[in-house]
Amino acid sequence: MKITDHIKAAQGKTLFSFEIVPPVKGKNIQELYDNIDPLMEYKPPFIDVTTSREEFVYIKKDGLLDKKLTRMRPGTVGICASIAHKYGVDTVPHVLCGGFTKEETEYLLVDCQYLGIENVMALRGDAMAGQRYFEATAGGHAYASGLVSQIHQLSQGKYLHETVEGIPTNSFCIGVAGYPEKHLEAPSMQQDLKRLKEKVDAGAHYVVTQMFFDNQKYFEFVSAAREMGIEVPIIPGIKPIAVEKHLQLLPQVFSLDLPQDLIDAVSDCSDNKAVRQVGIEWAIAQSKELLAAGVPVLHYYSMGKSSNIEAIAKEVF
Ligand code: FAD
């Protein structure tokens, strides 16, 4: 079922969903299942699975370093199919511009159609480690809006190199990223919103936001997006702080502000166990306010161990 249909079917009730990051290659899927199992009690209608782009590794050879490309994590579509099969939920693979040609994206989408995966998140991806700025892959898309167009075209049976008419194709429900505190590369909030509108005009059906820690930022973002004519559902993304290092890391990586009360509470903690508890309590308070405001879905970023998401869900759903 499409995410937008889940939202409609909920008739105003806020849904619970979460995102998982596949473990590095060499591990098996049981680790993911162990993290998902406790969250199923809260009946997520869908689970997102992130995609990590390729990385360079350096191998010592004859005293020199040989640069090789590799992927550190297994493919997202296979993981999505396994989770959907095991739990009977919809899964949402994240599809990236970075690291993929348009043809490779087409094959990936064809696999999704074959496996009955109806939802995808269309994302540009970040610069590769060691690169300062994102560089488009040769033969790939430079921005998520181009990827959204490709997915939208395929939904209508229009492949890259031929138009296949009369062959039934599943149409995709397409999610895109939105930034309540502006994407780090955007020259202004207004310009970033214009870019978001381009993604929606190209065929995106819903937006999931980057994490934020002050709900006011989300409420202002939604009003500005509505003023811009963006009418699709805007799903807030919530990440509980889990370690003290997040105080530096999150602003640096995602270009966002942390409220002073949260910084103070984390700074007062004697260890990371206490920080994790502060993160849970902050996310519960955020979630309750967003729930009261009638957001369509509360979507949680679960990186690694999901026990904090479970603790939040227990209080909120
Ligand atoms: P875009 O929408 O393409 O925007 C990127 C930047 O370019 C913005 O500053 C925008 O304003 C600007 N821009 C857009 N169009 C144009 C144009 N035509 N000309 C000039 N500038 C333009 N990353 C991963 O690697 N894997 C994941 O699984 C993943 N999941 C994510 C899930 C969510 C909910 C979110 C919010 C982010 C996720 N990301 C993921 C991170 C994302 O890839 C990065 O934030 C990336 O830097 C931007 O992606 P985007 O899709 O928003 O890009």
Side-chain angles (χ1 to χ4, degrees):
M1 191 162 151
K2 295 186 167 59
I3 305 303
T4 43
D5 290 335
H6 280 297
I7 293 172
K8 271 185 217 140
Q11 297 184 323
K13 186 173 166 275
T14 300
L15 300 168
F16 164 71
S17 74
F18 58 95
E19 166 187 298
I20 50 162
V21 180
V24 289
K25 64 190 175 195
K27 305 213 170 179
N28 74 33
I29 199 160
Q30 190 56 46
E31 191 175 316
L32 267 190
Y33 291 160
D34 291 344
N35 272 307
I36 294 173
D37 282 343
L39 299 179
M40 293 316 290
E41 189 186 332
Y42 305 98
K43 302 198 171 20
F46 64 94
I47 299 173
D48 276 51
V49 181
T50 65
T51 295
S52 303
R53 62 174 304 178
E54 78 285 26
E55 292 173 34
F56 284 118
V57 285
Y58 295 88
I59 300 160
K60 252 193 181 162
K61 202 175 160 193
D62 304 329
L64 296 170
L65 285 179
D66 202 7
K67 192 172 165 188
K68 299 277 182 213
L69 261 187
T70 186
R71 286 189 188 274
M72 291 302 197
R73 296 172 197 272
T76 305
V77 174
I79 295 174
C80 280
S82 308
I83 295 172
H85 182 69
K86 178 167 165 69
Y87 296 102
V89 283
D90 283 301
T91 45
V92 186
H94 290 191
V95 182
L96 300 183
C97 303
F100 295 87
T101 64
K102 292 175 191 170
E103 280 78 6
E104 285 166 337
T105 297
E106 185 166 285
Y107 303 143
L108 191 148
L109 294 169
V110 168
D111 284 350
C112 287
Q113 288 185 321
Y114 180 72
L115 293 163
I117 294 170
E118 290 182 82
N119 302 284
V120 291
M121 268 296 280
L123 300 145
R124 189 196 69 178
D126 286 314
M128 287 177 77
Q131 276 177 350
R132 203 180 154 114
Y133 301 106
F134 175 85
E135 284 174 26
T137 298
H141 295 284
Y143 297 104
S145 52
L147 178 57
V148 172
S149 295
Q150 182 182 354
I151 301 168
H152 184 65
Q153 294 286 314
L154 189 68
S155 287
Q156 296 165 2
K158 291 180 188 150
Y159 291 74
L160 286 172
H161 304 305
E162 60 189 318
T163 297
V164 183
E165 281 161 6
I167 296 181
T169 50
N170 300 336
S171 67
F172 286 103
C173 177
I174 308 168
V176 289
Y179 300 85
E181 298 183 59
K182 181 181 98 52
H183 183 258
L184 71 168
E185 293 162 31
S188 72
M189 190 70 203
Q190 191 70 2
Q191 184 67 5
D192 208 24
L193 279 163
K194 275 190 187 174
R195 297 304 186 190
L196 180 59
K197 174 87 167 47
E198 283 170 12
K199 293 194 275 192
V200 173
D201 290 345
H205 300 95
Y206 69 100
V207 175
V208 182
T209 75
Q210 184 56 278
M211 65 187 76
F212 55 90
F213 295 87
D214 173 357
N215 286 348
Q216 205 47 41
K217 300 264 167 69
Y218 168 82
F219 295 132
E220 285 165 12
F221 175 69
V222 173
S223 326
R226 300 298 180 228
E227 267 175 42
M228 180 73 72
I230 297 169
E231 282 166 9
V232 298
I234 301 180
I235 298 174
I238 307 287
K239 177 182 164 50
I241 290 230
V243 288
E244 196 191 357
K245 218 171 160 212
H246 279 156
L247 290 189
Q248 285 80 43
L249 211 65
L250 300 178
Q252 191 188 340
V253 176
F254 301 109
S255 182
L256 45 81
D257 275 351
L258 296 175
Q260 192 57 44
D261 287 352
L262 177 58
I263 299 170
D264 291 343
V266 170
S267 305
D268 286 346
C269 291
S270 53
D271 57 22
N272 273 333
K273 192 168 170 233
V275 172
R276 200 169 168 86
Q277 191 53 35
V278 166
I280 289 170
E281 282 163 20
W282 192 272
I284 289 172
Q286 266 195 287
S287 303
K288 285 187 173 170
E289 190 185 18
L290 291 163
L291 193 99
V295 298
V297 182
L298 282 165
H299 185 71
Y300 295 91
Y301 294 114
S302 138
M303 288 151 179
K305 297 261 170 284
S306 64
S307 57
N308 51 359
I309 309 297
E310 188 189 358
I312 299 161
K314 198 169 161 209
E315 287 297 316
V316 179
F317 291 93

